[in-house]
Amino acid sequence: MIEARPLTPDVQLRIATLEDAAALADAYTRSWDHLSPWEPARPESWFTVAGQRERLTSTLERYKNGQVVPWLLVEADRVVGAFTLQDVVAGPFRSASLGYWLAGDVTGRGLATLAVEAVAELADSEFKLHRIEASTLKNNVASQRVLQRTGFNQIGFAPTYLHIGGVWQDCNLYQRILNNRTPGT
């Protein structure tokens, strides 16, 4: 069990639960104008409690199976961000992909940097991963700065990599090497 981790006196990083469906629906609705340039198109159900409960049910099943780790950034009773390790691969690769977002009203406070650093530490200590990767849209300078501040290095450029805003968009690819342990140790 991964314990909640305080990032500031008021903000904690913790594993998502089914009970977070309403808070997630609210967070997406509240921040969609801020998030929409960086997110794929979402159906109307995405912004509902039922839609988030359905998504969380699937995600938490994948979490139980070791395929994904879904954290939420929570301030008081509000969800203000999400950080996810997905496509977790064991064996000789020992890798996962990092995705994240912050609500528009909490940007500029260093929360993304604190959370990415915490996720990287947990990926190393709890999940024994060797590396984590991330991508950003070519023009998402704020997210690129977060990754660079937290030890990620750009390893490539991928033309037409993600379908965002109704079009295929170019992305920068990053990775952070967490350790050089032999797998299984």
Side-chain angles (χ1 to χ4, degrees), residues 5-83:
R5 180 176 281 208
L7 300 181
T8 73
D10 301 323
V11 178
Q12 70 173 342
L13 182 71
R14 65 166 174 77
I15 297 294
T17 69
L18 275 180
E19 289 73 35
D20 292 314
L24 270 167
D26 177 64
Y28 277 112
T29 301
R30 193 176 66 245
S31 287
W32 191 244
D33 286 344
H34 166 70
L35 295 174
S36 63
W38 320 114
E39 290 271 323
R42 302 292 189 191
E44 287 299 316
S45 63
W46 185 264
F47 303 94
T48 68
V49 175
Q52 287 301 312
R53 184 176 308 282
E54 181 179 324
R55 184 177 74 88
L56 282 167
T57 298
S58 171
T59 299
L60 292 171
E61 185 63 31
R62 292 177 59 224
Y63 173 55
K64 285 193 314 189
N65 294 328
Q67 300 166 316
V68 67
V69 187
W71 285 282
L72 295 178
L73 204 58
V74 180
E75 183 172 47
D77 61 348
R78 286 185 337 136
V79 170
V80 295
F83 293 75

Side-chain angles (χ1 to χ4, degrees), residues 151-170:
F152 282 77
N153 295 305
Q154 186 172 349
I155 59 169
F157 174 77
T160 66
Y161 191 67
L162 289 175
H163 197 265
I164 304 292
V167 297
W168 287 101
Q169 300 217 26
D170 300 342

Side-chain angles (χ1 to χ4, degrees), residues 4-5 23 27 86-87 95 103:
R5 180 176 281 208
Q86 50 204 1
D87 303 323
S95 182

Side-chain angles (χ1 to χ4, degrees), residues 112-155:
T113 299
L114 291 170
V116 168
E117 190 59 46
V119 167
E121 289 172 16
L122 290 163
D124 182 10
S125 66
E126 298 293 324
F127 300 99
K128 308 297 185 209
L129 296 179
H130 167 66
R131 68 182 284 280
I132 48 180
E133 62 187 29
S135 67
T136 70
L137 293 183
K138 181 178 70 173
N139 62 339
N140 190 343
V141 175
S143 191
Q144 292 163 20
R145 286 186 184 139
V146 167
L147 294 173
Q148 291 163 352
R149 278 194 299 266
T150 56
F152 282 77
N153 295 305
Q154 186 172 349
I155 59 169

